[in-house]
Amino acid sequence: MSVYLSSTLGRLPVRDILRLGDNKADPNLETKTYGLFSTCEPIMRTSVAQRNIGDVFFITSVDGIGRALVGWYELGWIAELGAKDFALTARYMRFIDPIPLRRMSPRLRAEIPENLRNYKRVEPAIADELRKLVAASPDRTNDYLAEVDRLERLSYSRTGFRYPSWDRAGSFTWAEAPSFMAESPQATPAPNTSPTGTWVCTGCGAEIRNEARLKVCNSCGSRDTLQPGASV
């Protein structure tokens, strides 16, 4: 079970694309991936890869109803991108009208606390129950995809970028996946957060401002070359 930050301006609880200084790229419904384009939740993705987990259920907070189950990835493949860095790709996904955790069975409520953060691994019997809940709900995946596009266009109208943190005018697509998966000769280990909110590329020296570490440098496009900026 993976918890993600959803947009308070969304008509459906898609990821928080409009988050200032930290536009979210995952879960990336457009490509059915998680971790291909961003550095979000590396521990969760590593756990999925090492334990050969086949399903990811998505939970987020929804205004008016609290934490809710909103979707499911049935994983198709897992790609190793580097040391403890894996990208997850779904062969099938289904997103639905939010199911509040507080309305679930006592057994599920005991497994999914309202204050759950980041992720949690559950036993196969619990996963079966979650899968049945998602499968029994009307499929609104196309509506979620349309909402991602709407929020991206809203961002573009305000800032000139769909993802200003990334200096991106376009959406995420499979066409650019090779550059995010290619080995980087300059790759250096780094944390996912910077105390200064700035990052310096070890390849070109560019300074990037963002709350979380970006997978590629906005300036030169090198992967895994951003290091936390020094405090003043």
Side-chain angles (χ1 to χ4, degrees):
M1 297 183 296
S2 175
V3 180
Y4 71 89
L5 185 66
S6 58
S7 173
T8 57
L9 296 180
R11 295 168 181 168
L12 287 167
V14 298
R15 65 182 187 268
D16 197 354
I17 293 166
L18 302 177
R19 183 177 172 84
L20 294 176
D22 190 18
N23 315 139
K24 297 300 183 182
D26 277 317
N28 196 273
L29 277 60
E30 308 92 287
T31 56
K32 299 182 184 177
T33 63
Y34 199 121
L36 177 58
F37 301 109
S38 88
T39 59
C40 289
E41 298 296 350
I43 297 176
M44 181 272 288
R45 291 184 279 107
T46 298
S47 177
V48 167
Q50 293 178 342
R51 297 175 184 276
N52 197 31
I53 292 171
D55 301 272
V56 179
F57 298 94
F58 292 104
I59 294 170
T60 191
S61 294
V62 181
D63 285 348
I65 65 173
R67 287 288 178 86
L69 172 68
V70 298
W72 165 45
Y73 273 6
E74 180 184 12
L75 298 180
W77 56 259
I78 299 172
E80 185 172 3
L81 305 181
K84 295 184 179 180
D85 187 15
F86 297 87
L88 314 178
T89 301
R91 67 163 60 92
Y92 173 77
M93 69 177 179
R94 186 182 184 93
F95 282 77
I96 60 175
D97 287 319
I99 301 176
L101 300 187
R102 54 186 169 81
R103 295 183 186 172
M104 291 183 177
S105 68
R107 183 182 184 187
L108 289 179
R109 290 203 305 272
E111 288 287 336
I112 318 174
E114 281 279 346
N115 61 351
L116 176 64
R117 293 177 59 83
N118 301 328
Y119 74 98
K120 180 180 180 181
R121 183 169 58 92
V122 297
E123 297 303 319
I126 298 297
D128 286 342
E129 288 192 45
L130 294 171
R131 195 179 299 110
K132 289 175 182 177
L133 282 175
V134 176
S137 300
D139 187 356
R140 298 202 61 189
T141 304
N142 287 336
D143 297 325
Y144 274 73
L145 289 169
E147 185 61 7
V148 167
D149 179 66
R150 186 185 76 85
L151 293 182
E152 286 181 345
R153 288 185 286 107
L154 178 59
S155 175
Y156 189 87
S157 70
R158 292 176 171 178
T159 68
F161 296 98
R162 289 196 174 216
Y163 296 86
S165 292
W166 306 58
D167 293 338
R168 290 183 63 91
S171 302
F172 292 98
T173 69
W174 272 106
E176 61 191 315
S179 64
F180 280 83
M181 298 178 69
E183 291 188 16
S184 172
Q186 299 175 341
T188 53
N192 275 355
T193 59
S194 167
T196 63
T198 62
W199 304 85
V200 177
C201 177
T202 59
C204 69
E207 183 177 275
I208 309 297
R209 289 189 173 275
N210 198 56
E211 182 178 321
R213 179 170 58 89
L214 302 181
K215 183 156 284 187
V216 299
C217 171
N218 290 355
S219 180
C220 68
S222 296
R223 185 167 75 84
D224 294 336
T225 56
L226 298 184
Q227 292 287 316
S231 59
V232 178

